[in-house]
Amino acid sequence: MQLLQLANFVLQNLLQSRISFIIFFHCWANNETLQFTQQVHKPHHQPIYYQFAHLNDWNWEHLEQRYLDHAQPTLAIYVDLSCLRSRSLLAEASRARLYNQHYHWMLHDSSDAFNFYDFFKPTNISIDADVSYVKQHIADNSGTIIYTLYDVYSNGNHIGGQLNITVNYELGCNETRCGAIRYLSSLHLRSRYGNREQLTDVVLRVATVVTQRPISWPPEQLLRFLNQINDTHIDGIARFGFHLTLILKDLLQCGMNFTFKDRWSYGDYNGGSVGAVVDGTADIGSAPCLSTPGRLHLLSSIIETGYFRSICLFRTPHNAGIRGDVFLQPFSAVVWFLFAAILLLIALLLWLTFYMESKCMRVRWRLDFVPSLLSTCLISFGAACIQSSALTPRSMGGRLAYFALFLISFIMYNYYTSVVVSSLLSSPVKSKIKTVQQLAESSLTVGLEPLSFTKSYLNYSQRPEIHLFSKRKIDTQTHNPELWLPADQGILRVRDRPGYVFIFEASSGYAYVERYYTQQEICDLNEVLFRPELLLYTHLHRNSSYKELVRLRLLRVLETGIYRKHRNWWARMKLHCYSQNFVITVGMEYVAPLFFMLLCGYILVVLLLLLELAWQRYMQRSE
């Protein structure tokens, strides 16, 4: 056996594959193994780490754990097909599904006794397999050996895939080195998945979720429902994923066999479409799902293909929005106190002005009386309210004081009114409830859309506010038949009962809001996130051989904008409030404090009038 040429070929192949770790399964004699090792260890050769396993000395039970366990990206495996026990090794590797991207197989055939195609036709070789069939030929009497390499893979033997053997290149090796490569096909011009971009010979098994229609329906009827593009709010997430799967089908040129499930899963990874992918009865799930820690032990998230946003929607209760602070908000407390002090100071200056004028000015310029300090305070306050005064100082200094009073009042009043008007007319009043905990502690009535993931979240969430919410809002309504309502009924109840809270999935429920609500009613809505906003991913089994191929195709869908087009059609993630399209009226929640102040003022006036009348009567009797 020409082991020197073989050693050079192996080193050249490892160099091209960028691999430094290899295990040899052989049946060579001891002196031949020594000769091979000496050739590998020549100084001008690259360093490699190797291990020899004689095929006659070992059994292949627990093959991967005993011989192939490694922490490298890829481990090279050389198998000499001329050895009789090599067939049992290859059969065990097929049973253990070891023909995958984690192993670089070199299957060396130095004779014509081994029928490679017939042996590997039923073998479980995956689409991501890195298997090279090496056929050896003697070129001439000079000792040069020609090695012809074939790329070997299958699109999936378990779902109808056929064995594919494509000739790649030839390499000539003598006892010192390997010569130039002669390419026999265009395989080297493409990447591995560029050569395996279509699955025309397989039928992928797809687990499909349908929650709004009975899965007992005939498959043809369920497929018609999923293929429809109207009523996007009905099973929006599941149908969105289904249409993306149809695009993937066209890109892969494969068949698809759909099985229907009524939920994503019972727990993290049991039952439903997720459970079908986990137990291997489905190759892919069409409906995207959440990436939870439990699922990621068994599944791999391929690419983001959706959004999940569960919200609590309600209109502001009419009796929960009375606010008087809006009339104090334009200025801080310091500004209000400073303004009041300035008004008092000007009132004092006006009183001194009137007093000095009555003492020092000519008689014909004097007032008939000297106003009291209370009167000048009233004049100052009236100027702050943009009211004129019947009393006007006659002196230049007094009129300058009046000018300063009216100027500061004008500036303050214009800023104040502009801020108040913009605050009152910018948007309807919003509730102060912003979190689930505040919602749980409120007196508002709650209803929920009957979704499986909402029920699971209430039962399994570790968040303390969800436990409080479930205890106060759910457990107290266990006998209420209206606790769980369809999305359309819950949305209508939110519209008709301000203060009623309905919890639903945004991508489906927003369609009902846009259909049944006016623009003014939409602007009046309050939203509280029921659970953190999360992304949905397409998942494949952790050991699936289609992971990289599906990822590349879905990335293509993402890059070309097809995903964005479908997402905008199937998933509504935001409500738009166009407040410029209508006049926002100021309700009693703002005006009530003003009427209350007016009422208090009239009551005080009446009390003072009664006191004055009583004092006058007392004085008359005392005379």
Side-chain angles (χ1 to χ4, degrees), residues 33 38 69 109 125 139 170 183 205 243-244 266 314 326 328 370 376 392 402 463 492 508 552 609 613 616:
T33 304
Q38 291 174 344
D69 190 17
D109 187 4
I125 299 180
E170 283 185 351
Y183 293 105
R205 301 165 299 172
H243 281 261
L244 286 181
Y266 289 97
F314 61 98
V326 69
L328 300 175
V370 178
T376 57
T392 305
Y402 248 49
R463 296 171 59 192
L492 286 173
S508 60
L552 292 174
L609 177 61
L613 292 176
Q616 184 179 8

Side-chain angles (χ1 to χ4, degrees), residues 464-500:
E465 60 268 29
I466 297 299
H467 292 171
L468 178 64
F469 178 85
S470 180
K471 179 180 179 180
R472 294 192 176 184
K473 299 297 183 181
I474 306 301
D475 297 344
T476 57
Q477 300 188 71
T478 53
H479 301 292
N480 182 9
E482 296 183 344
L483 174 61
W484 301 92
L485 292 175
D488 54 343
Q489 296 182 25
I491 295 297
L492 286 173
R493 186 165 294 192
V494 170
R495 184 195 66 181
D496 300 332
R497 299 185 187 178
Y500 175 79

Side-chain angles (χ1 to χ4, degrees), residues 172 182 219 231 254 278 315 399 444 476 550 557 563 604:
R182 182 166 72 96
D231 295 330
C254 65
V278 169
R315 294 181 66 187
R399 293 188 176 185
L444 303 182
T476 57
V550 171
V557 173
Y563 164 76
L604 181 60

Side-chain angles (χ1 to χ4, degrees), residues 9 12 16 134-137 139 145-150 167-173 178-185:
F9 166 75
Q12 180 70 18
Q16 290 179 351
V134 184
K135 186 67 178 175
Q136 174 180 317
H137 305 279
I145 304 296
I146 302 298
Y147 296 95
T148 305
L149 277 78
Y150 298 82
V167 65
N168 194 354
Y169 63 87
E170 283 185 351
L171 186 65
C173 299
C178 288
I181 295 175
R182 182 166 72 96
Y183 293 105
L184 303 177
S185 68

Side-chain angles (χ1 to χ4, degrees), residues 117 150-155 161-167 195 201:
Y117 185 85
Y150 298 82
D151 180 49
V152 182
Y153 73 94
S154 171
N155 288 334
Q162 302 297 315
L163 183 66
N164 189 302
I165 303 177
T166 306
V167 65
N195 183 51
D201 55 346

Side-chain angles (χ1 to χ4, degrees), residues 575-589:
L575 288 173
H576 298 283
C577 171
Y578 302 100
S579 57
Q580 294 84 1
N581 295 345
F582 55 88
V583 176
I584 298 177
T585 58
V586 180
M588 285 298 296
E589 63 272 4

